[in-house]
Amino acid sequence: MKAAELVRTRIIYSESAFAELVLWRLPKAVEGSPHQYKYRLAFVVHRECVLRYDNEVGKGDHRHFDGKESPYIFSTPEQLIADFQHDIARWNHENRNS
């Protein structure tokens, strides 16, 4: 099996905010992750990445939110995207007066 790109999209939320989602299914898991997906999902506001989910080699699944990095428990690509969208809504709510 070759690597298969499942998602590559940019969602524009406003003139100053967008999300970029990239998700691949791989022939084997990347080091540090127990599944066969490679991903990076980022939410950028005013040219600053304020939220990111990724699984870079050696670090495993994790997310960056509110300036902190924490482990992320990956279950399915659909749940990953749902969790990311939930965190975008949360960030927007918590920063609505910024």
Side-chain angles (χ1 to χ4, degrees), residues 1-2 20-21 23 27 30 37 43 50 54 66 71 75-78 80-81 96:
M1 172 178 110
K2 292 184 177 182
E20 190 165 87
L21 294 78
L23 175 66
V30 296
Y37 296 95
F43 182 52
V50 298
D54 65 287
D66 199 24
S75 59
T76 66
E78 296 80 13
L80 170 72
I81 292 170
R96 66 182 173 269

Side-chain angles (χ1 to χ4, degrees), residues 36-53:
Q36 292 179 269
Y37 296 95
K38 176 74 178 137
Y39 59 88
R40 73 176 181 280
L41 289 71
F43 182 52
V44 177
V45 179
H46 297 293
R47 299 183 187 171
E48 178 185 348
C49 182
V50 298
L51 169 65
R52 187 172 77 246
Y53 282 63

Side-chain angles (χ1 to χ4, degrees), residues 51 84-94:
L51 169 65
F84 179 65
Q85 291 173 329
H86 178 266
D87 276 350
I88 288 173
R90 177 181 165 200
W91 190 93
N92 283 327
H93 177 75
E94 291 176 2

Side-chain angles (χ1 to χ4, degrees), residues 8-68:
R8 179 177 297 271
T9 191
R10 181 177 279 208
I11 302 166
I12 306 297
Y13 287 90
S14 70
E15 285 185 19
S16 60
F18 67 89
E20 190 165 87
L21 294 78
V22 179
L23 175 66
W24 290 79
R25 185 178 55 238
L26 305 176
K28 64 178 190 168
V30 296
E31 180 186 336
S33 292
H35 53 79
Q36 292 179 269
Y37 296 95
K38 176 74 178 137
Y39 59 88
R40 73 176 181 280
L41 289 71
F43 182 52
V44 177
V45 179
H46 297 293
R47 299 183 187 171
E48 178 185 348
C49 182
V50 298
L51 169 65
R52 187 172 77 246
Y53 282 63
D54 65 287
N55 64 333
E56 62 187 88
V57 174
K59 289 186 89 172
D61 303 291
H62 62 282
R63 74 178 186 137
H64 304 261
F65 187 89
D66 199 24
K68 299 178 184 121

